Amino acid sequence: FTSVGALLSSGINAEYGDNYLCEPLGSPYKFSWSSAGPIAGKSCIQWLETADPHTWDDNYLCADSMLPQREPRFPQDFWFYNSGFPRTGYNCIHIREGADPNSWDNNFFCWRHEVTDPGMRWSSAGPIAGMRCTQILESADPHTWKDNYLCVPNTSKLHFRWSSAGMIRGTSCLQWREPHDPHTWSDNFLCA
């Protein structure tokens, strides 16, 4: 078995010291746990509990890649969910602006399982050092959106552009819509 709980016990909340993720003997999966972001060279999913304030945003369950995967195609391999964790078949990052009270605690930007992990990360506190970041800004929204960025590794084939005023001509776009936010989040698009 792989012990998730033993690693969690060294974190902020010691109550997690008795939690385990078990796999049957002979399982082809070899899981690894990280409480400090994705593990390089492994496929990872974010293990997120938004109701727990104790740094759950950097916890990942990782595994060795099992199948050859193709590069993701934008926008067809991506999806933006504005109402909770998405249906199965997708890996996601949490898109969150904690200062915005208009339902920005349950939004996810996702990509299909069958494609390689694009290595994206979200920051609501400025660009992430060592990554290529695209500012996600809705200037009509007063809730500190000026420091929000979607970042990809510098080597990524994804070159995003953001528009808060409709699609960008000559690009492929995916709408980011939050119907519970009254600050014009109906015409925002991530494009590439």
Side-chain angles (χ1 to χ4, degrees), residues 1-34:
F1 67 92
T2 299
S3 167
V4 175
L7 294 171
L8 285 175
S9 66
S10 63
I12 293 174
N13 193 338
E15 294 175 10
Y16 295 112
D18 61 351
N19 292 287
Y20 295 89
L21 175 67
C22 301
E23 52 194 333
L25 291 174
S27 169
Y29 303 104
K30 303 297 177 218
F31 294 113
S32 303
W33 176 259
S34 170

Side-chain angles (χ1 to χ4, degrees), residues 139-190:
S139 57
D141 195 324
H143 299 108
T144 71
W145 278 91
K146 292 185 171 133
D147 60 352
N148 291 280
Y149 288 83
L150 177 66
C151 300
V152 296
N154 286 321
T155 57
S156 175
K157 294 178 182 176
L158 296 167
H159 293 271
F160 291 126
R161 294 173 62 192
W162 177 255
S163 171
S164 61
M167 294 190 282
I168 299 171
R169 183 182 298 230
T171 66
S172 297
C173 299
L174 179 68
Q175 187 172 24
W176 282 30
R177 184 172 179 270
E178 176 46 78
H180 296 101
D181 193 325
H183 300 105
T184 71
W185 278 95
S186 59
D187 61 351
N188 294 275
F189 289 86
L190 183 67

Side-chain angles (χ1 to χ4, degrees), residues 49-118:
E49 175 49 70
T50 58
D52 189 333
H54 299 291
T55 69
W56 272 91
D57 60 337
D58 59 355
N59 292 299
Y60 285 81
L61 179 65
C62 302
D64 295 327
S65 293
M66 303 265 315
L67 301 170
Q69 295 176 311
R70 64 176 173 76
E71 290 287 323
R73 293 170 299 194
F74 187 85
Q76 52 268 53
D77 288 325
F78 294 86
W79 199 260
F80 180 78
Y81 290 89
N82 60 25
S83 59
F85 201 76
R87 63 183 184 249
T88 60
Y90 286 84
N91 294 319
C92 304
I93 58 172
H94 191 197
I95 305 300
R96 183 168 190 256
E97 172 47 70
D100 195 328
N102 297 302
S103 194
W104 280 99
D105 58 348
N106 65 349
N107 294 286
F108 294 87
F109 185 47
C110 306
W111 58 94
R112 294 182 191 275
H113 277 213
E114 64 266 17
V115 301
T116 57
D117 183 339

